[in-house]
Amino acid sequence: MGPASVIRPLTDALGLSDFAMNYYELDPGESFAYGLHAHEKQEEVFYVQEGTATFETLEGDVEVDAGELVRFGPGEYQRGTNRGEGRVVALAMGAPQDAGETEILRECEDCGDRTSQTLELTEGKDAILTICEECGGETGRFT
């Protein structure tokens, strides 16, 4: 369950102690994250191996093509998505491993604004929900 078709955590498999690493495959419309987000302590680098990932930031969109990297510092908001027609394959690397608090922002129709979100597992454990912290409304469902 999550925002991408394929997410493979590599941190433990590689015995990494100082940074985190994940492998992603994004089908069209999929994302690396549940929403625009920032990590309190963690610096992130994405290496796009195939396709083009578009990263939404507070300063505007950034396109990252195959063979390119992009870096986000602690506290920088970003969300990478596949807006193309083909698949995006990428590695996400972050240091330190402990990202600290992560704030997720998503559009909430009930509030009429982008709001902070929490993640919840459904009662049947078949989906992850994004929930608006202001009104308690569901803003996304990931299976």
Side-chain angles (χ1 to χ4, degrees), residues 41-63:
K41 299 178 187 176
Q42 191 178 65
E43 176 176 42
E44 282 188 292
V45 173
F46 292 85
Y47 172 63
V48 177
Q49 296 173 297
E50 182 181 316
T52 299
T54 303
F55 288 85
E56 175 189 1
T57 73
L58 296 180
E59 290 77 35
D61 291 350
V62 176
E63 286 195 353

PDB file of all heavy atoms in Angstrom, residues 41-63:
ATOM      1  N   LYS A  41      14.592  16.780   9.893  1.00  0.00           N
ATOM      2  CA  LYS A  41      16.048  16.619  10.007  1.00  0.00           C
ATOM      3  C   LYS A  41      16.722  16.083   8.755  1.00  0.00           C
ATOM      4  O   LYS A  41      17.940  16.137   8.652  1.00  0.00           O
ATOM      5  CB  LYS A  41      16.372  15.629  11.138  1.00  0.00           C
ATOM      6  CG  LYS A  41      15.901  16.030  12.499  1.00  0.00           C
ATOM      7  CD  LYS A  41      16.255  14.924  13.491  1.00  0.00           C
ATOM      8  CE  LYS A  41      15.682  15.149  14.856  1.00  0.00           C
ATOM      9  NZ  LYS A  41      15.961  14.020  15.751  1.00  0.00           N
ATOM     10  N   GLN A  42      15.956  15.525   7.834  1.00  0.00           N
ATOM     11  CA  GLN A  42      16.568  14.745   6.764  1.00  0.00           C
ATOM     12  C   GLN A  42      16.737  15.518   5.459  1.00  0.00           C
ATOM     13  O   GLN A  42      15.833  16.192   4.992  1.00  0.00           O
ATOM     14  CB  GLN A  42      15.723  13.504   6.489  1.00  0.00           C
ATOM     15  CG  GLN A  42      16.403  12.491   5.594  1.00  0.00           C
ATOM     16  CD  GLN A  42      15.533  11.262   5.403  1.00  0.00           C
ATOM     17  OE1 GLN A  42      14.469  11.348   4.823  1.00  0.00           O
ATOM     18  NE2 GLN A  42      15.990  10.128   5.911  1.00  0.00           N
ATOM     19  N   GLU A  43      17.920  15.377   4.901  1.00  0.00           N
ATOM     20  CA  GLU A  43      18.232  15.852   3.564  1.00  0.00           C
ATOM     21  C   GLU A  43      17.922  14.691   2.613  1.00  0.00           C
ATOM     22  O   GLU A  43      18.270  13.549   2.903  1.00  0.00           O
ATOM     23  CB  GLU A  43      19.717  16.205   3.517  1.00  0.00           C
ATOM     24  CG  GLU A  43      20.251  16.618   2.195  1.00  0.00           C
ATOM     25  CD  GLU A  43      21.716  17.028   2.313  1.00  0.00           C
ATOM     26  OE1 GLU A  43      22.488  16.350   3.021  1.00  0.00           O
ATOM     27  OE2 GLU A  43      22.072  18.022   1.701  1.00  0.00           O
ATOM     28  N   GLU A  44      17.250  14.974   1.486  1.00  0.00           N
ATOM     29  CA  GLU A  44      16.901  13.909   0.533  1.00  0.00           C
ATOM     30  C   GLU A  44      17.497  14.183  -0.841  1.00  0.00           C
ATOM     31  O   GLU A  44      17.519  15.330  -1.294  1.00  0.00           O
ATOM     32  CB  GLU A  44      15.383  13.810   0.360  1.00  0.00           C
ATOM     33  CG  GLU A  44      14.662  13.108   1.470  1.00  0.00           C
ATOM     34  CD  GLU A  44      13.207  12.888   1.126  1.00  0.00           C
ATOM     35  OE1 GLU A  44      12.464  13.888   1.045  1.00  0.00           O
ATOM     36  OE2 GLU A  44      12.818  11.730   0.940  1.00  0.00           O
ATOM     37  N   VAL A  45      17.947  13.103  -1.480  1.00  0.00           N
ATOM     38  CA  VAL A  45      18.427  13.160  -2.851  1.00  0.00           C
ATOM     39  C   VAL A  45      17.682  12.087  -3.636  1.00  0.00           C
ATOM     40  O   VAL A  45      17.573  10.938  -3.191  1.00  0.00           O
ATOM     41  CB  VAL A  45      19.953  12.915  -2.937  1.00  0.00           C
ATOM     42  CG1 VAL A  45      20.407  12.810  -4.391  1.00  0.00           C
ATOM     43  CG2 VAL A  45      20.709  14.015  -2.210  1.00  0.00           C
ATOM     44  N   PHE A  46      17.144  12.474  -4.798  1.00  0.00           N
ATOM     45  CA  PHE A  46      16.472  11.533  -5.697  1.00  0.00           C
ATOM     46  C   PHE A  46      17.309  11.404  -6.957  1.00  0.00           C
ATOM     47  O   PHE A  46      17.716  12.413  -7.541  1.00  0.00           O
ATOM     48  CB  PHE A  46      15.079  12.046  -6.075  1.00  0.00           C
ATOM     49  CG  PHE A  46      14.110  12.067  -4.928  1.00  0.00           C
ATOM     50  CD1 PHE A  46      14.074  13.146  -4.060  1.00  0.00           C
ATOM     51  CD2 PHE A  46      13.244  11.009  -4.713  1.00  0.00           C
ATOM     52  CE1 PHE A  46      13.192  13.178  -3.000  1.00  0.00           C
ATOM     53  CE2 PHE A  46      12.350  11.027  -3.659  1.00  0.00           C
ATOM     54  CZ  PHE A  46      12.326  12.117  -2.797  1.00  0.00           C
ATOM     55  N   TYR A  47      17.561  10.159  -7.357  1.00  0.00           N
ATOM     56  CA  TYR A  47      18.256   9.873  -8.612  1.00  0.00           C
ATOM     57  C   TYR A  47      17.256   9.183  -9.532  1.00  0.00           C
ATOM     58  O   TYR A  47      16.795   8.078  -9.230  1.00  0.00           O
ATOM     59  CB  TYR A  47      19.478   8.983  -8.390  1.00  0.00           C
ATOM     60  CG  TYR A  47      20.106   8.521  -9.683  1.00  0.00           C
ATOM     61  CD1 TYR A  47      20.656   9.430 -10.569  1.00  0.00           C
ATOM     62  CD2 TYR A  47      20.115   7.168 -10.031  1.00  0.00           C
ATOM     63  CE1 TYR A  47      21.221   9.014 -11.769  1.00  0.00           C
ATOM     64  CE2 TYR A  47      20.680   6.742 -11.218  1.00  0.00           C
ATOM     65  CZ  TYR A  47      21.229   7.672 -12.093  1.00  0.00           C
ATOM     66  OH  TYR A  47      21.768   7.257 -13.277  1.00  0.00           O
ATOM     67  N   VAL A  48      16.898   9.847 -10.619  1.00  0.00           N
ATOM     68  CA  VAL A  48      15.939   9.294 -11.572  1.00  0.00           C
ATOM     69  C   VAL A  48      16.706   8.443 -12.582  1.00  0.00           C
ATOM     70  O   VAL A  48      17.581   8.945 -13.282  1.00  0.00           O
ATOM     71  CB  VAL A  48      15.125  10.407 -12.261  1.00  0.00           C
ATOM     72  CG1 VAL A  48      14.181   9.821 -13.307  1.00  0.00           C
ATOM     73  CG2 VAL A  48      14.345  11.214 -11.231  1.00  0.00           C
ATOM     74  N   GLN A  49      16.363   7.164 -12.635  1.00  0.00           N
ATOM     75  CA  GLN A  49      17.040   6.234 -13.540  1.00  0.00           C
ATOM     76  C   GLN A  49      16.322   6.112 -14.885  1.00  0.00           C
ATOM     77  O   GLN A  49      16.950   5.846 -15.898  1.00  0.00           O
ATOM     78  CB  GLN A  49      17.123   4.853 -12.884  1.00  0.00           C
ATOM     79  CG  GLN A  49      17.964   4.854 -11.625  1.00  0.00           C
ATOM     80  CD  GLN A  49      17.879   3.521 -10.902  1.00  0.00           C
ATOM     81  OE1 GLN A  49      16.812   3.121 -10.449  1.00  0.00           O
ATOM     82  NE2 GLN A  49      19.012   2.846 -10.806  1.00  0.00           N
ATOM     83  N   GLU A  50      15.002   6.299 -14.853  1.00  0.00           N
ATOM     84  CA  GLU A  50      14.198   6.133 -16.068  1.00  0.00           C
ATOM     85  C   GLU A  50      13.000   7.068 -15.987  1.00  0.00           C
ATOM     86  O   GLU A  50      12.391   7.220 -14.925  1.00  0.00           O
ATOM     87  CB  GLU A  50      13.715   4.681 -16.125  1.00  0.00           C
ATOM     88  CG  GLU A  50      12.911   4.295 -17.329  1.00  0.00           C
ATOM     89  CD  GLU A  50      12.480   2.831 -17.249  1.00  0.00           C
ATOM     90  OE1 GLU A  50      13.308   1.977 -16.885  1.00  0.00           O
ATOM     91  OE2 GLU A  50      11.308   2.568 -17.540  1.00  0.00           O
ATOM     92  N   GLY A  51      12.656   7.703 -17.099  1.00  0.00           N
ATOM     93  CA  GLY A  51      11.502   8.585 -17.145  1.00  0.00           C
ATOM     94  C   GLY A  51      11.820   9.988 -16.650  1.00  0.00           C
ATOM     95  O   GLY A  51      12.982  10.376 -16.508  1.00  0.00           O
ATOM     96  N   THR A  52      10.757  10.749 -16.372  1.00  0.00           N
ATOM     97  CA  THR A  52      10.888  12.116 -15.858  1.00  0.00           C
ATOM     98  C   THR A  52       9.977  12.263 -14.644  1.00  0.00           C
ATOM     99  O   THR A  52       8.775  12.009 -14.731  1.00  0.00           O
ATOM    100  CB  THR A  52      10.481  13.159 -16.924  1.00  0.00           C
ATOM    101  OG1 THR A  52      11.348  13.021 -18.048  1.00  0.00           O
ATOM    102  CG2 THR A  52      10.575  14.573 -16.379  1.00  0.00           C
ATOM    103  N   ALA A  53      10.558  12.673 -13.519  1.00  0.00           N
ATOM    104  CA  ALA A  53       9.787  12.945 -12.304  1.00  0.00           C
ATOM    105  C   ALA A  53       9.631  14.456 -12.168  1.00  0.00           C
ATOM    106  O   ALA A  53      10.578  15.204 -12.397  1.00  0.00           O
ATOM    107  CB  ALA A  53      10.492  12.376 -11.079  1.00  0.00           C
ATOM    108  N   THR A  54       8.435  14.886 -11.815  1.00  0.00           N
ATOM    109  CA  THR A  54       8.179  16.302 -11.576  1.00  0.00           C
ATOM    110  C   THR A  54       8.003  16.511 -10.079  1.00  0.00           C
ATOM    111  O   THR A  54       7.139  15.893  -9.463  1.00  0.00           O
ATOM    112  CB  THR A  54       6.921  16.769 -12.334  1.00  0.00           C
ATOM    113  OG1 THR A  54       7.090  16.496 -13.726  1.00  0.00           O
ATOM    114  CG2 THR A  54       6.689  18.259 -12.135  1.00  0.00           C
ATOM    115  N   PHE A  55       8.839  17.366  -9.506  1.00  0.00           N
ATOM    116  CA  PHE A  55       8.796  17.646  -8.082  1.00  0.00           C
ATOM    117  C   PHE A  55       8.117  18.986  -7.852  1.00  0.00           C
ATOM    118  O   PHE A  55       8.597  20.019  -8.325  1.00  0.00           O
ATOM    119  CB  PHE A  55      10.204  17.649  -7.476  1.00  0.00           C
ATOM    120  CG  PHE A  55      10.801  16.287  -7.383  1.00  0.00           C
ATOM    121  CD1 PHE A  55      11.467  15.725  -8.462  1.00  0.00           C
ATOM    122  CD2 PHE A  55      10.671  15.536  -6.222  1.00  0.00           C
ATOM    123  CE1 PHE A  55      12.005  14.450  -8.382  1.00  0.00           C
ATOM    124  CE2 PHE A  55      11.202  14.259  -6.134  1.00  0.00           C
ATOM    125  CZ  PHE A  55      11.873  13.715  -7.220  1.00  0.00           C
ATOM    126  N   GLU A  56       6.990  18.941  -7.129  1.00  0.00           N
ATOM    127  CA  GLU A  56       6.308  20.153  -6.710  1.00  0.00           C
ATOM    128  C   GLU A  56       7.068  20.694  -5.507  1.00  0.00           C
ATOM    129  O   GLU A  56       7.372  19.950  -4.571  1.00  0.00           O
ATOM    130  CB  GLU A  56       4.865  19.840  -6.324  1.00  0.00           C
ATOM    131  CG  GLU A  56       4.121  21.021  -5.761  1.00  0.00           C
ATOM    132  CD  GLU A  56       2.768  20.661  -5.170  1.00  0.00           C
ATOM    133  OE1 GLU A  56       2.392  19.469  -5.166  1.00  0.00           O
ATOM    134  OE2 GLU A  56       2.101  21.585  -4.684  1.00  0.00           O
ATOM    135  N   THR A  57       7.375  21.985  -5.507  1.00  0.00           N
ATOM    136  CA  THR A  57       7.991  22.654  -4.371  1.00  0.00           C
ATOM    137  C   THR A  57       7.211  23.941  -4.115  1.00  0.00           C
ATOM    138  O   THR A  57       6.367  24.339  -4.931  1.00  0.00           O
ATOM    139  CB  THR A  57       9.480  23.005  -4.631  1.00  0.00           C
ATOM    140  OG1 THR A  57       9.543  24.093  -5.554  1.00  0.00           O
ATOM    141  CG2 THR A  57      10.264  21.807  -5.161  1.00  0.00           C
ATOM    142  N   LEU A  58       7.486  24.605  -3.022  1.00  0.00           N
ATOM    143  CA  LEU A  58       6.823  25.872  -2.727  1.00  0.00           C
ATOM    144  C   LEU A  58       7.258  26.971  -3.693  1.00  0.00           C
ATOM    145  O   LEU A  58       6.557  27.965  -3.857  1.00  0.00           O
ATOM    146  CB  LEU A  58       7.096  26.291  -1.279  1.00  0.00           C
ATOM    147  CG  LEU A  58       6.545  25.370  -0.200  1.00  0.00           C
ATOM    148  CD1 LEU A  58       6.888  25.890   1.192  1.00  0.00           C
ATOM    149  CD2 LEU A  58       5.041  25.171  -0.347  1.00  0.00           C
ATOM    150  N   GLU A  59       8.394  26.780  -4.363  1.00  0.00           N
ATOM    151  CA  GLU A  59       8.908  27.764  -5.318  1.00  0.00           C
ATOM    152  C   GLU A  59       8.494  27.461  -6.751  1.00  0.00           C
ATOM    153  O   GLU A  59       8.795  28.226  -7.655  1.00  0.00           O
ATOM    154  CB  GLU A  59      10.439  27.837  -5.240  1.00  0.00           C
ATOM    155  CG  GLU A  59      10.964  28.470  -3.966  1.00  0.00           C
ATOM    156  CD  GLU A  59      10.906  27.526  -2.766  1.00  0.00           C
ATOM    157  OE1 GLU A  59      11.117  26.310  -2.940  1.00  0.00           O
ATOM    158  OE2 GLU A  59      10.622  27.998  -1.657  1.00  0.00           O
ATOM    159  N   GLY A  60       7.835  26.328  -7.001  1.00  0.00           N
ATOM    160  CA  GLY A  60       7.442  25.930  -8.345  1.00  0.00           C
ATOM    161  C   GLY A  60       7.883  24.512  -8.642  1.00  0.00           C
ATOM    162  O   GLY A  60       8.542  23.867  -7.825  1.00  0.00           O
ATOM    163  N   ASP A  61       7.518  24.032  -9.815  1.00  0.00           N
ATOM    164  CA  ASP A  61       7.827  22.660 -10.202  1.00  0.00           C
ATOM    165  C   ASP A  61       9.251  22.529 -10.754  1.00  0.00           C
ATOM    166  O   ASP A  61       9.762  23.450 -11.400  1.00  0.00           O
ATOM    167  CB  ASP A  61       6.845  22.170 -11.267  1.00  0.00           C
ATOM    168  CG  ASP A  61       5.440  21.982 -10.726  1.00  0.00           C
ATOM    169  OD1 ASP A  61       5.255  22.039  -9.500  1.00  0.00           O
ATOM    170  OD2 ASP A  61       4.524  21.782 -11.534  1.00  0.00           O
ATOM    171  N   VAL A  62       9.850  21.349 -10.495  1.00  0.00           N
ATOM    172  CA  VAL A  62      11.190  21.027 -10.981  1.00  0.00           C
ATOM    173  C   VAL A  62      11.102  19.673 -11.676  1.00  0.00           C
ATOM    174  O   VAL A  62      10.663  18.697 -11.068  1.00  0.00           O
ATOM    175  CB  VAL A  62      12.212  20.946  -9.813  1.00  0.00           C
ATOM    176  CG1 VAL A  62      13.575  20.523 -10.313  1.00  0.00           C
ATOM    177  CG2 VAL A  62      12.280  22.263  -9.065  1.00  0.00           C
ATOM    178  N   GLU A  63      11.487  19.619 -12.954  1.00  0.00           N
ATOM    179  CA  GLU A  63      11.501  18.348 -13.683  1.00  0.00           C
ATOM    180  C   GLU A  63      12.885  17.734 -13.610  1.00  0.00           C
ATOM    181  O   GLU A  63      13.891  18.418 -13.820  1.00  0.00           O
ATOM    182  CB  GLU A  63      11.084  18.551 -15.137  1.00  0.00           C
ATOM    183  CG  GLU A  63       9.613  18.793 -15.297  1.00  0.00           C
ATOM    184  CD  GLU A  63       9.138  18.634 -16.735  1.00  0.00           C
ATOM    185  OE1 GLU A  63       9.972  18.468 -17.652  1.00  0.00           O
ATOM    186  OE2 GLU A  63       7.911  18.667 -16.918  1.00  0.00           O
TER     187      GLU A  63
END
